[in-house]
Amino acid sequence: MAEIDFLKKFVKASGVSGDESGVAGVIAKEIAPYVDEVYMDPMGSLIAHKKGKSSDKKLMFAAHMDEIGFMVNYITDEGYLRVSKIGGINFTASSFSHVTFNNGTHGVLVPEARTAVQSYSPEKVYVDIGAKNKKEAEKHVKIGDFCRVVPTFEKLCGHRVCGRPIDNRIGCYMIFEVAKRMRTCENDTYFVFTCQEEVGVRGSKTSAFEIGPDYGVAVDIGGAGDVINSAPFAVVLGAGPAIKLKDGMVICHKKMVELMRDIAKKDSIKYQLEILESGGTDTCMLQQARGGCVAGAISVPTRYGHSGVETIDMDDVEGGIEIMKGICETVLD
């Protein structure tokens, strides 16, 4: 099984979209020994650059480091907090959760009394920090403060783990491991931990425009078709990382798909092929940067996305790391 100590660190670090400095600081410290420079771009994405044997081609890996969360937008006279959602919140999954603020304040996110489950929504939930009234609440939080569901990370049977935000700290962990493990760096390589993906793939747009990669690979979670009553879907846990063919925002470049498949076959790495009818990842912005690039993506099969119990198989993660390491060690023409 892949070493998971760094993954735990990444999961625990705070990083709601638009407020990613916590997780960025953790990743920057850990990846610095393995690259030539680490810096933040103006948007807030973290970029780690490793000089290659050749500077003819630029290779960019992207994994978003932000997570879904909430922002305080109103404090009631009774001291309760109303919140605005940041990203694709499932309020059924989030209700009755323990939340935390960057300043250490804790609370619980709950629905209004007598609200039916199917009616859980931003207007029907609030955060209770235990304050007696508005004056006391304002001593601990203010309008515009971010909060997140308290992170968790647990081992399950075999090599499977669950928690939050696996999306997409697992992708961050994977490209970090590539930087750490690669034997040679044939091309100028950029490991980019993007910001604000959950609110519209924003960070990858600016970082890819700045770097101007010739080749790009995004890493993110995907779906899984092996849960009870799932819609038909060919990707399952434990059968290897999923090489994306298309989703709702991108059709991956055949050259990158073939490169990934060739590396997987050469190194006897199990893999799957992913086709999604909707949704998208940073891949679409890599593909459209400047004059465009040869872009592809690796997805980690994941059960129960955007919940507190996102579940993955670390063997799939390990396979994805090895495929990306193989790309780094390939001379790209």
Side-chain angles (χ1 to χ4, degrees), residues 69 125 142 203 244 250 288:
V125 303
K142 62 183 184 298
K244 186 185 291 291
V250 70
Q288 298 176 61

Side-chain angles (χ1 to χ4, degrees), residues 191-206:
F191 303 92
V192 184
F193 304 87
T194 63
C195 64
Q196 298 193 36
E197 188 271 353
E198 295 287 6
V199 290
V201 290
R202 298 173 185 172
S204 58
K205 182 176 183 178
T206 54

Side-chain angles (χ1 to χ4, degrees), residues 270-288:
K270 293 190 300 183
Y271 70 92
Q272 308 174 75
L273 297 176
E274 179 189 68
I275 299 173
L276 297 176
E277 294 301 318
S278 60
T281 68
D282 284 335
T283 322
C284 67
M285 292 305 175
L286 298 182
Q287 187 182 60
Q288 298 176 61

